[in-house]
Amino acid sequence: MRHYLKGLGLLHSVAPIGFVEELLSGWDHLHEAQLSVYPEPSFPNDDGSRQVHRVPVGSLRSSFEALLPTLGEQEIAFDSIVYSNARGVQHVPLVDFLSSKRRDVERASEALVAEYSAARAALFASGESYHLYLGILLSTNEWLKFMGRLLLLNLPDSKPVTDARWVGRRLIGGFGALRLSANTHRFAHFGAPRMVREW
């Protein structure tokens, strides 16, 4: 993992937007990604009030940085949907964990990385829990099965690891979404999600 300073004192390799931009640039057939701006009370729900921004893959970070100064009481999320001329809509698998226990989250992440043969993946502490980005692309049908797989990580008679309500909201919305920014009072005390492990 690289550790060098970039931008506003952030470690480039530990900021989700930097990791995602680098990840997506490795797939030549992708041309656009999607960022959404959510009013804080609705995040991460999709109640129709979000603003969608389809941006070139190579400009993902600069587009994110251009949106930051325009935010009111809003947050920016990366959406799982990516666009390809050759293959249409695909998804980057995203996970919002419910557990704040890093050991449990890492164990679940390792299982997903192995099961999906992800060449790259990254786990981020979000302040409230953890977020996982898997470095593979899924069709819409494959993504639906993946979301079902996340629910099965929650074992009977055990504390849940993944956030079932997040899974439900994202299935209704039709895409995954994870917060990139820390602009509102709810998230400002911790800041933007920070990488804690990379595969």
Side-chain angles (χ1 to χ4, degrees):
M1 187 189 309
R2 293 183 302 275
H3 290 282
Y4 56 91
L5 294 176
K6 179 79 173 179
L8 303 174
L10 293 174
L11 293 170
H12 174 75
S13 63
V14 302
I17 191 66
F19 174 80
V20 172
E21 183 180 61
E22 186 179 310
L23 182 69
L24 297 186
S25 67
W27 288 300
D28 293 338
H29 65 283
L30 295 182
H31 62 91
E32 282 186 316
Q34 187 167 292
L35 300 173
S36 288
V37 176
Y38 291 83
E40 194 278 333
S42 72
F43 186 85
N45 299 323
D46 185 9
D47 61 0
S49 60
R50 71 185 178 99
Q51 303 164 16
V52 178
H53 300 267
R54 286 178 58 168
V55 300
V57 165
S59 303
L60 189 61
R61 185 183 182 96
S62 60
S63 298
F64 168 75
E65 291 174 344
L67 284 171
L68 281 174
T70 71
L71 298 179
E73 284 296 306
Q74 299 166 308
E75 297 289 1
I76 304 172
F78 172 73
D79 296 340
S80 68
I81 295 175
V82 290
Y83 300 89
S84 164
N85 286 326
R87 302 174 193 176
V89 171
Q90 294 182 282
H91 292 263
V92 177
L94 309 176
V95 184
D96 189 4
F97 289 101
L98 185 62
S99 175
S100 60
K101 293 183 178 179
R102 181 169 168 179
R103 185 176 64 177
D104 294 345
V105 168
E106 285 202 51
R107 188 179 299 122
S109 297
E110 287 168 355
L112 290 171
V113 169
E115 181 177 343
Y116 287 89
S117 302
R120 293 194 65 189
L123 184 66
F124 294 84
S126 71
E128 297 179 342
S129 61
Y130 292 88
H131 297 163
L132 178 67
Y133 294 75
L134 284 175
I136 59 172
L137 293 174
L138 301 178
S139 68
T140 298
N141 285 340
E142 290 169 335
W143 176 78
L144 290 171
K145 292 179 182 178
F146 172 80
M147 297 299 277
R149 178 68 182 93
L150 297 186
L151 295 177
L152 296 179
L153 291 172
N154 295 332
L155 301 176
D157 303 319
S158 298
K159 289 188 176 180
V161 177
T162 56
D163 187 343
R165 290 183 59 79
W166 178 84
V167 171
R169 287 191 297 261
R170 299 318 336 136
L171 285 170
I172 291 170
F175 58 90
L178 293 176
R179 177 177 60 88
L180 298 172
S181 58
N183 186 62
T184 58
H185 179 73
R186 176 181 172 188
F187 301 113
H189 69 285
F190 181 81
R194 304 165 190 169
M195 185 187 286
V196 294
R197 184 168 174 187
E198 184 174 5
W199 287 263

